[in-house]
Amino acid sequence: MPNRKLYLHYLGLAGAITLGAVLRFWHLGLKPLWMDEVITAIFSLGKNYHDLPLDILFPLQRVQEIFTFQPGVSCNQIANNLANQSTHPPLFFCGMYSWLGWMTPLGSEWVAKLRSLPAVFGVGAIAAIYGVNRIAFYPASGIIAALIMAVSPFAVYLSQEARHYTMPMFLITLALLGLIQIQQDIFGQQRLRLWVVILWSIVNSIGLYVHYFFILAFIAEIITLPILIYWAKAKILNKRQVYLTLILSTSSVVISFIPWILVMLSHSQSAETNWLPATMHIAPIYQTLINWILMVIALPVENQPLLITAICGFLMVAFALWLGWQVCKGLKRLWLDNTYNLATLTLLSFTIIVLIQFFGIAYLLGKDITIIPRYNFVYYPSFCALLAASITKIHKSKFIILLVGMLSCIFVVSNLVFQKPFQPEKTAQNMNLEPSLPLMLVVGYNNYQDVALGLSFALALQKLRVPVSVNHSDSLAFLKKSLNSPAFWEKLDEMSTPATSQMNLWLVGPGMRRRDYPQQVALSGDGVCTIDTTQHYRIGIPYQLYRCKSHKD
C-alpha cells in the first residue's frame, strides 16, 4: 500500500510538470515580439545596438537579417554590451546566447526558440515549488503547489516572455527551498548543515547576476532569518554557531556581487530606468491586489467590448473574494498548528518584506513598480506556496482553482490575456491598410528603446506584407531625433526613397502629439506626401499615415 501511494504521488507530480510544460510551450511563437523581447533578442544573439542599420533606408524584408545568430561571441563581450548599452546583469543573456547557439540554425521558428529557455525555467519552477511545500508542510501540499503554479495564468505569461523573469523566479524558488531547509535545521536539528548553507549562498549569488530585482528577494531572505530566530529563540541551543554561519554565508553572497556593483549603480542612474510612472496616492495598494488576482485568474478584459470587460471583470473579482476567504481560513489553521507555524511564518515574512520594499520604491523613490504585473515574480513563489498550503485540505477549492487556472491559461496562450505592450500585431494591421501599395515605415528615435519598439512593429508588419506582397518596395528607416526636430525632416528629405508613383508613408513619432504632424512631407526627388487625417493612431505612441505621390504623375 505505501508503495502504491508513493507511485500515485510521483505520478501526480509528473502530471503537474507535464501539464505546466504543455501550457508553457503551447503557441509559444504565436504572440508578436514586443519592445523588451526585441532587446533580449539583440543581446542574446551576440549583437549590440551598433549592429543595427540606423539612419539609412533599407528593405523591410531585410529586417529578419538583424535577428540572426552571431557566432563566436564570449560571455564577457555580452556582459560588456549590457554594461554599456542596457540596464541588466549579464547571466541570463549569456545563457540565452548558449541556448540559441545549440538551436542554430534558428530558421522560421526563431521566435519560439527565443522564448523556449524562459519556458524551460518556468517548468523548472514547478518542480522547485513542489520541493518548497513538500519540505515546509507535507508531500500532498507539494503536489498542490506544483499544480497551482502549473495552471497559473501569471506563471504561464512569464514563461512565454523572452525575458529574464522565469529564471530569477526559478532561482528565488530554490532560494526559498534553501531558506525553509535552514529554518528546519535551526529549529529541528539544532545545527546548520554546511552543504545546505553553501548551496543556498550559491543560488543567491547566481540570482544577483540574473536580475537586479533578485536583490529584493535576497534582502527579504536575510531579514526573515533573524525574525525567525527572534520568534523562537528559546528553541535554539547553539545560537553562536547559527549566527556566525549565517553572517559568513550572507557576506559571501554580497562579496560575490562586488565585481558588478559599479555597473549596477551606473544602470540605476540611466535614463532608461525613468519610464516608470510617478506614484499616485493609493494606486500601489489596489494595483497589488489586482496583481494577486492575475496570479490565479485572468479573463479577457483587455481591448474587449465593454459588456465582455464588465462581465469578466466581475467574475474575476467575485472569484478573488471567494478564494481570499478560503485562503484566510487556511492560513489561520496553519498558523495555529505548531507543526507548520514556523514554515508559514517564513513564507509570510518573505512575502511581506518584499511587498514593503515594493511600496518603499513606489512611495520613497517615486517609481511605481506595482503597476507592472510581471515584476511580481519576486514574491510569486512564496505567494504560490502559501496559497497551496492554505487550500490543500479543501477539496472543492482545489478543483475550482485548477479549473479556473486552466481556462485562464487558454486565454493567455491565445493572446486574449496579458497582451503584448504597444500591441505590435494591431499596429501592423493598421499599417497594412492597403496591401497592394508600397509601404515605407519611418521611426523617429531618441534612444535605442525607440529603435527596439520600431523593430517590433517592423517584424509584425513583415509577417503580413512579405508573404502576400507582390512588390519589393516596402522599406524601413530609423532616423535619429524626434519628429519635433527640424533635423528629422531634413534627414527624411535627403533620404533616397523608392522610385514609385504611389506609396503609403507611416511616421512613428515617440513623444509626438497629433497636432505636431505637418500637413505635408517632402521626400527626395519630387515626392510629396500628404497627411491622411483619418489614419492617426496611438497605442502607447502615435503613428500617422501620409499618402505619397510623385509630381511626375
Side-chain angles (χ1 to χ4, degrees):
M1 190 66 174
N3 287 338
R4 185 172 183 275
K5 285 185 177 180
L6 195 64
Y7 169 78
L8 292 175
H9 176 82
Y10 286 109
L11 184 64
L13 175 60
I17 294 174
T18 302
L19 176 61
V22 169
L23 291 174
R24 282 152 181 77
F25 282 91
W26 185 20
H27 286 171
L28 194 55
L30 174 68
K31 296 183 182 182
L33 289 185
W34 71 287
M35 179 181 72
D36 281 12
E37 292 183 297
V38 168
I39 293 172
T40 297
I42 291 169
F43 292 109
S44 299
L45 290 167
K47 299 184 178 183
N48 59 52
Y49 291 133
H50 297 315
D51 297 318
L52 302 181
L54 305 179
D55 298 300
I56 61 171
L57 188 70
F58 61 97
L60 179 65
Q61 64 206 44
R62 287 186 53 197
V63 73
Q64 189 63 55
E65 296 175 11
I66 297 171
F67 300 95
T68 54
F69 186 78
Q70 181 74 34
V73 180
S74 68
C75 184
N76 186 53
Q77 289 173 289
I78 294 173
N80 286 332
N81 290 337
L82 291 163
N84 296 317
Q85 296 186 354
S86 188
T87 57
H88 303 294
L91 200 53
F92 169 79
F93 296 90
C94 290
M96 280 284 284
Y97 178 78
S98 298
W99 179 264
L100 294 174
W102 296 334
M103 291 192 164
T104 53
L106 298 178
S108 60
E109 299 297 318
W110 70 276
V111 172
K113 292 178 180 178
L114 185 71
R115 291 172 175 159
S116 61
L117 184 59
V120 168
F121 280 117
V123 175
I126 297 172
I129 199 67
Y130 162 81
V132 170
N133 274 43
R134 180 189 175 100
I135 293 175
F137 302 104
Y138 41 89
S141 181
I143 296 292
I144 299 303
L147 283 168
I148 287 177
M149 184 176 281
V151 302
S152 166
F154 174 74
V156 170
Y157 150 65
L158 288 187
S159 298
Q160 294 197 328
E161 283 270 290
R163 292 296 282 167
H164 51 334
Y165 301 127
T166 53
M167 185 177 181
M169 188 173 80
F170 170 66
L171 292 169
I172 288 169
T173 310
L174 290 181
L176 283 175
L177 181 59
L179 188 67
I180 292 292
Q181 191 62 69
I182 289 171
Q183 168 247 306
Q184 295 195 352
D185 285 355
I186 291 174
F187 300 107
Q189 300 187 26
Q190 296 293 321
R191 66 181 182 87
L192 285 172
R193 287 176 290 179
L194 187 60
W195 68 269
V196 172
V197 177
I198 289 174
L199 288 177
W200 176 75
S201 301
I202 290 172
V203 167
N204 281 288
S205 296
I206 293 172
L208 294 177
Y209 281 94
V210 173
H211 200 291
Y212 288 137
F213 279 13
F214 195 97
I215 295 172
L216 305 180
F218 180 60
I219 290 172
E221 291 174 64
I222 61 178
I223 292 178
T224 294
L225 285 169
I227 288 175
L228 289 172
I229 293 170
Y230 176 80
W231 183 269
K233 54 188 176 182
K235 298 180 181 178
I236 304 176
L237 300 179
N238 195 350
K239 296 177 188 175
R240 185 175 178 181
Q241 183 255 349
V242 168
Y243 278 119
L244 183 61
T245 304
L246 294 178
I247 289 171
L248 289 174
S249 61
T250 300
S251 300
S252 69
V253 175
V254 175
I255 291 170
S256 72
F257 194 59
I258 287 177
W260 195 260
I261 283 180
L262 290 179
V263 178
M264 182 190 72
L265 293 175
S266 173
H267 285 172
S268 69
Q269 298 170 6
S270 170
E272 294 181 16
T273 64
N274 294 332
W275 61 272
L276 284 165
T279 304
M280 301 295 291
H281 309 298
I282 64 169
I285 297 173
Y286 68 73
Q287 284 164 180
T288 298
L289 294 175
I290 292 172
N291 292 333
W292 291 357
I293 294 174
L294 293 174
M295 292 177 183
V296 290
I297 180 173
L299 303 180
V301 294
E302 302 167 88
N303 305 304
Q304 300 293 333
L306 181 59
L307 180 61
I308 293 177
T309 299
I311 293 173
C312 290
F314 171 78
L315 291 174
M316 288 171 67
V317 171
F319 177 79
L321 290 173
W322 170 80
L323 181 58
W325 175 246
Q326 301 296 319
V327 170
C328 286
K329 291 191 297 182
L331 287 177
K332 184 178 179 180
R333 284 194 297 268
L334 288 172
W335 186 259
L336 296 175
D337 190 328
N338 291 332
T339 307
Y340 307 119
N341 59 2
L342 275 178
T344 305
L345 175 61
T346 302
L347 295 169
L348 275 175
S349 173
F350 175 87
T351 306
I352 292 169
I353 293 168
V354 171
L355 287 171
I356 290 172
Q357 293 177 87
F358 271 44
F359 290 142
I361 292 170
Y363 285 109
L364 300 180
L365 301 182
K367 295 184 177 182
D368 189 4
I369 62 174
T370 66
I371 200 171
I372 312 298
R374 58 185 180 273
Y375 290 160
N376 292 280
F377 75 84
V378 180
Y379 66 90
Y380 172 72
S382 57
F383 178 94
C384 180
L386 287 167
L387 171 61
S390 64
I391 61 117
T392 297
K393 295 186 177 180
I394 308 175
H395 299 291
K396 184 187 293 185
S397 297
K398 289 184 290 188
F399 177 77
I400 295 173
I401 292 170
L402 296 178
L403 189 63
V404 168
M406 288 187 65
L407 178 63
S408 299
C409 289
I410 292 172
F411 290 134
V412 171
V413 300
S414 301
N415 201 22
L416 294 172
V417 171
F418 286 117
Q419 295 177 350
K420 299 296 184 184
F422 304 107
Q423 295 182 266
E425 77 286 3
K426 180 65 174 176
T427 300
Q429 288 170 6
N430 292 336
M431 290 182 176
N432 194 35
L433 178 68
E434 295 166 330
S436 61
L437 284 183
L439 180 148
M440 181 175 170
L441 172 61
V442 177
V443 180
Y445 71 94
N446 295 303
N447 52 53
Y448 291 123
Q449 287 180 315
D450 292 339
V451 176
L453 179 62
L455 283 172
S456 72
F457 294 161
L459 284 168
L461 189 58
Q462 183 203 38
K463 198 172 181 179
L464 294 178
R465 300 281 295 184
V466 172
V468 297
S469 179
V470 294
N471 67 75
H472 299 283
S473 301
D474 293 346
S475 53
L476 170 66
F478 297 96
L479 298 186
K480 183 68 175 176
K481 303 290 186 186
S482 165
L483 273 67
N484 287 311
S485 167
F488 175 89
W489 304 107
E490 291 171 8
K491 282 186 178 181
L492 184 60
D493 190 16
E494 294 169 358
M495 186 174 293
S496 178
T497 55
T500 179
S501 59
Q502 284 186 296
M503 180 177 68
N504 284 344
L505 168 64
W506 286 94
L507 292 178
V508 179
M512 289 276 286
R513 296 166 296 182
R514 183 167 188 166
R515 64 176 179 268
D516 294 332
Y517 285 92
Q519 292 300 304
Q520 283 194 328
V521 173
L523 298 179
S524 63
D526 58 358
V528 175
C529 304
T530 304
I531 194 169
D532 184 340
T533 55
T534 65
Q535 297 297 319
H536 179 89
Y537 301 90
R538 178 182 287 274
I539 305 179
I541 63 165
Y543 53 100
Q544 172 67 56
L545 171 64
Y546 286 82
R547 298 186 180 275
C548 306
K549 290 186 178 181
S550 171
H551 278 320
K552 293 179 182 178
D553 296 321

